[in-house]
Amino acid sequence: FLPTTVIITAIVGSMIGSAFTTIATVGVALFGVGTAMGFSPAIMAGAILSGAIFGDKSSPLSDSTNLASSVAETDLFAHIKNLMWTTLPALILSIIIFLVIGMTHDGASVANNLKLAKLLDPTWWTVVPLVMLFVMAWLRIPAIPTLLMNIIVSTVAFFFHGNATEFSNVLMNGFKTDSSNVILQSLLNRGGMMAMMGTVIIIMLALALGGLLTEQKILTAVMAPFAKRIKTGSGVITGTVLSGIFANFMIGEQYLATILPGQLWKESFDRVKLDRLALGRSLEDSGTVVNYLIPWGVAGGFAAQTLGVPVIEFAPFVFFALLSPVFSLLSAWTGIGVKRVSD
């Protein structure tokens, strides 16, 4: 069940381009099923986040992926393709680890899940938005038009079964089921814009702090001397990865943890004749994924609030986020998958 959880969230995350949305929808459902089978909440959260982060990192619709590509000034789809050198090994090893954990687990029961399955009645039109996302991403249609089209399709589909009042209520307060089944209520009765306000406030405060650190050039003053002295490709990539991790701990916001190291190390990549694709991948392997392991980070706080598990408990089990920087450093030191600017 654990490796299946990683694969499902990875697929959904890749199709919708958002780890947050994946965690708060299919992730919540898998969390309820997994804990009902007797798995630890921390382990379930780790499996869900591992797949969701991979999906977010590998999708052309992802905000963080588009951001890293923009900061590095590279083609989006070339950036995603280059990510696979470190992203796929981290995912495969994570799946193997969860497979081993699952094989050693005792006491799992599917009785509650079989009862739950009888209450669910999926329809064909629920697949239409996901199919559209996949097709439009395959055709390399930009993220914003793709998302707008799917919002329109999903809204039209909703009005086949509800009215404008119900629609606005779901947007603000989330979906509420009429079922008396306690398990179904815990899985479905959540969401809405109001539920996001705590996370939105953290984002605003993190961006404000990041603005101060950027304007006062505090992080630049700390890291710039190191960036200028490093003269090897492996050293530049290592510095970028460590800077992304450091920025996450300092600011707690993955966007700024991507932007600031990217601006700081961009000239160093040019100086040692490394392709900007290597910069984009280094930013993703540190600035993007590590934020889920920071208790005061926006992504970590959102996951903890959504799944009801403290960051400090699930962080050791988010193997994908832990392994991504490791494989990035291995790639830098061995030269495997590192693109250089041709003479």
Side-chain angles (χ1 to χ4, degrees):
F1 181 77
L2 293 178
T4 303
T5 297
V6 177
I7 294 171
I8 290 174
T9 51
I11 292 173
V12 174
S14 298
M15 297 183 79
I16 64 179
S18 170
F20 281 25
T21 306
T22 304
I23 295 167
T25 52
V26 67
V28 170
L30 290 167
F31 184 84
V33 172
T35 51
M37 293 176 66
F39 287 104
S40 161
I43 293 177
M44 280 307 307
I48 292 164
L49 264 66
S50 292
I53 299 169
F54 169 85
D56 182 284
K57 192 179 174 188
S58 308
S59 174
L61 300 175
S62 167
D63 51 358
S64 59
T65 303
N66 276 271
L67 176 63
S69 176
S70 299
V71 170
E73 299 177 9
T74 59
D75 175 72
L76 174 62
F77 290 91
H79 168 72
I80 294 174
K81 183 178 179 181
N82 190 57
L83 282 175
M84 295 302 111
W85 285 100
T86 56
T87 302
L88 278 180
L91 177 69
I92 292 170
L93 185 54
S94 298
I95 290 174
I96 293 173
I97 295 173
F98 280 115
L99 179 62
V100 173
I101 294 174
M103 292 174 65
T104 59
H105 177 72
D106 293 325
S109 173
V110 297
N112 289 331
N113 299 332
L114 292 176
K115 295 178 183 178
L116 184 62
K118 297 177 182 178
L119 301 174
L120 302 176
D121 185 25
T123 55
W124 64 268
W125 58 266
T126 57
V127 184
V128 172
L130 289 177
V131 173
M132 279 190 61
L133 281 172
F134 180 78
V135 172
M136 296 179 78
W138 184 266
L139 296 175
R140 299 196 175 192
I141 297 173
I144 292 177
T146 299
L147 293 173
L148 287 175
M149 281 297 299
N150 278 271
I151 289 171
I152 293 171
V153 170
S154 301
T155 302
V156 171
F158 181 92
F159 281 111
F160 280 114
H161 303 275
N163 53 46
T165 302
E166 294 172 340
F167 182 70
S168 61
N169 185 55
V170 168
L171 283 179
M172 294 300 297
N173 302 309
F175 177 80
K176 298 293 184 292
T177 179
D178 297 328
S179 173
S180 59
N181 186 281
V182 177
I183 299 178
L184 201 62
Q185 289 179 3
S186 66
L187 292 177
L188 300 181
N189 288 355
R190 57 179 66 236
M193 294 175 66
M194 296 305 298
M196 286 289 295
M197 285 301 103
T199 303
V200 171
I201 291 172
I202 296 176
I203 292 174
M204 293 172 65
L205 293 174
L207 288 173
L209 173 60
L212 291 171
L213 293 174
T214 303
E215 184 65 23
Q216 299 299 323
K217 302 186 184 323
I218 295 173
L219 292 180
T220 302
V222 173
M223 294 185 285
F226 298 100
K228 293 178 180 178
R229 292 175 181 171
I230 296 176
K231 299 180 179 180
T232 63
S234 58
V236 168
I237 294 176
T238 300
T240 305
V241 172
L242 295 179
S243 297
I245 296 173
F246 176 70
N248 265 307
F249 276 94
M250 284 287 293
I251 304 171
E253 215 290 316
Q254 63 182 167
Y255 297 153
L256 291 171
T258 300
I259 294 171
L260 296 180
Q263 294 173 341
L264 175 66
W265 290 94
K266 189 180 296 184
E267 293 182 359
S268 298
F269 275 79
D270 296 337
R271 176 163 47 83
V272 299
K273 297 188 181 302
L274 285 179
D275 194 293
R276 290 285 183 86
L277 290 171
L279 169 62
R281 189 176 70 193
S282 302
L283 296 175
E284 289 260 48
D285 287 337
S286 55
T288 299
V289 303
V290 173
N291 197 259
Y292 290 87
L293 308 177
I294 310 298
W296 53 90
V298 173
F302 173 82
Q305 182 183 31
T306 303
L307 299 176
V309 183
V311 178
I312 199 70
E313 292 184 13
F314 68 63
F317 300 103
V318 189
F319 297 116
F320 180 80
L322 295 170
L323 291 171
S324 288
V326 174
F327 278 105
S328 189
L329 294 176
L330 287 175
S331 175
W333 298 335
T334 61
I336 299 175
V338 177
K339 288 188 176 294
R340 296 185 175 273
V341 178
S342 63
D343 294 335

